[in-house]
Amino acid sequence: MAIYESIVILDSLIPPKEIDSAMDRFSALITENNGKVRQVEKWGKKRLAYEIQKKQYGFYASIEFEGEGNIPVILESEYNYNDNVLRYLTYRYDKYKLKAMASETPAVNKAEKVEPKKKPVIDIESEEPEKTDFENNDIEAEADSDETVEENKE
Amino acid sequence: MIRVRRKRVCFFCQSGMDYIDFKEEKLLLRYVTEQGKIIPRHTSGTCAKHQRQLAQAIKRARHLALIPFVTDFTR
Ligand SMILES: [Zn+2]
């Protein structure tokens, strides 16, 4: 079982009731196929970055669910069948997303996280005095002066 | 003309950001040109690992109309 997120852009002109019923239909499809809906989120009406089917606005909603690989396929055919769906994207959480999720949940651990970050900053500062005056004027505070390459262009 | 090319440090490595979320349009827009093209890694300084993730995030955001595919000024 993997975790997926499915995001749909619905026609923003349809009544809110229809948006709810569409989302219920998608959620029902997931549970019918042995999936587990983790979260349904309505982002709301947003302006589209470009027109889709001559529309400037869309209603964004997302469903996070657990299940087998057949569910995205079933959802896709439902999205294609439903005329109110302007666009959809279903993706599987990769290792980076799962890692980010795991570190998000314990919010108390945030104080611990700050500490290891401090160390590299100190390292960079101790390297800096090695630079010459010329470099310091020309280069913003950056770590590796060794890798600066001078080039003749044109 | 002498140009000093300096090694740029990957922003995502520096900030310790492991996952690049395609829902953060503002962050992604910093890595595309005015026309909407993905900025190459040798210009932005992003490391290979993060550039791969960044490219995927930009493509997903484009598909969902969060950021434009192209910004055409000739209109
Ligand atoms: Zn990086």
Side-chain angles (χ1 to χ4, degrees):
Chain A
M1 289 249 278
I3 304 175
Y4 296 86
E5 186 179 24
S6 193
I7 300 164
V8 277
I9 308 177
L10 296 159
D11 191 342
S12 62
L13 299 173
I14 62 170
K17 252 194 236 160
E18 270 189 60
I19 290 173
D20 288 337
S21 69
M23 294 314 287
D24 289 343
R25 170 102 186 94
F26 303 149
S27 305
L29 272 175
I30 293 164
T31 31
E32 275 166 30
N33 289 283
N34 304 320
K36 201 178 115 201
V37 176
R38 288 166 61 103
Q39 202 180 15
V40 179
E41 221 178 316
K42 285 180 192 136
W43 303 3
K45 189 179 167 184
K46 270 169 76 98
R47 200 197 165 91
L48 304 171
Y50 51 86
E51 285 185 10
I52 301 174
Q53 293 173 23
K54 301 274 167 72
K55 290 175 180 83
Q56 291 199 325
Y57 291 89
F59 190 96
Y60 284 73
S62 72
I63 308 173
E64 191 183 75
F65 63 92
E66 264 172 75
E68 299 296 339
N70 63 325
I71 296 176
V73 182
I74 293 159
L75 279 178
E76 193 177 316
S77 59
E78 172 65 23
Y79 293 153
N80 287 334
Y81 176 74
N82 190 330
D83 287 335
N84 292 326
V85 177
L86 302 182
R87 223 13 105 77
Y88 60 84
L89 173 74
T90 307
Y91 69 101
R92 196 187 143 128
Y93 283 1
D94 61 5
K95 57 180 177 183
Y96 302 111
K97 171 72 184 175
L98 293 171
K99 221 179 175 184
M101 270 169 67
S103 61
E104 254 175 49
T105 19
V108 197
N109 291 1
K110 261 189 180 174
E112 285 175 42
K113 259 190 157 183
V114 181
E115 272 184 290
K117 265 186 197 168
K118 270 182 187 170
K119 233 189 172 182
V121 176
I122 296 159
D123 287 345
I124 290 163
E125 277 172 348
S126 61
E127 266 176 49
E128 258 183 343
E130 289 169 30
K131 284 179 185 170
T132 65
D133 280 10
F134 166 74
E135 276 174 326
N136 274 336
N137 288 339
D138 219 48
I139 298 163
E140 303 152 25
E142 261 161 359
D144 28 14
S145 55
D146 294 30
E147 297 207 53
T148 21
V149 180
E150 282 190 27
E151 266 188 4
N152 271 318
K153 275 209 171 172
E154 281 147 280
Chain B
M1 184 185 150
I2 297 164
R3 286 195 68 220
V4 179
R5 226 210 257 164
R6 46 195 146 91
K7 185 89 181 171
R8 304 251 263 124
V9 185
C10 170
F11 168 79
F12 301 101
C13 283
Q14 239 180 358
S15 64
M17 199 188 286
D18 269 333
Y19 174 67
I20 302 172
D21 196 349
F22 65 88
K23 291 164 198 166
E24 290 178 51
E25 306 127 67
K26 282 202 185 120
L27 176 77
L28 298 184
L29 284 173
R30 280 169 44 191
Y31 293 91
V32 297
T33 64
E34 280 175 62
Q35 298 137 60
K37 291 181 172 185
I38 299 173
I39 295 173
R41 171 167 111 63
H42 64 77
T43 311
S44 63
T46 313
C47 72
K49 176 185 157 190
H50 284 121
Q51 182 75 6
R52 269 198 306 277
Q53 278 202 68
L54 187 63
Q56 191 195 42
I58 290 171
K59 286 168 189 174
R60 283 176 175 173
R62 281 174 179 165
H63 178 73
L64 286 173
L66 298 172
I67 59 171
F69 272 101
V70 281
T71 313
D72 201 353
F73 293 109
T74 58
R75 238 191 290 176

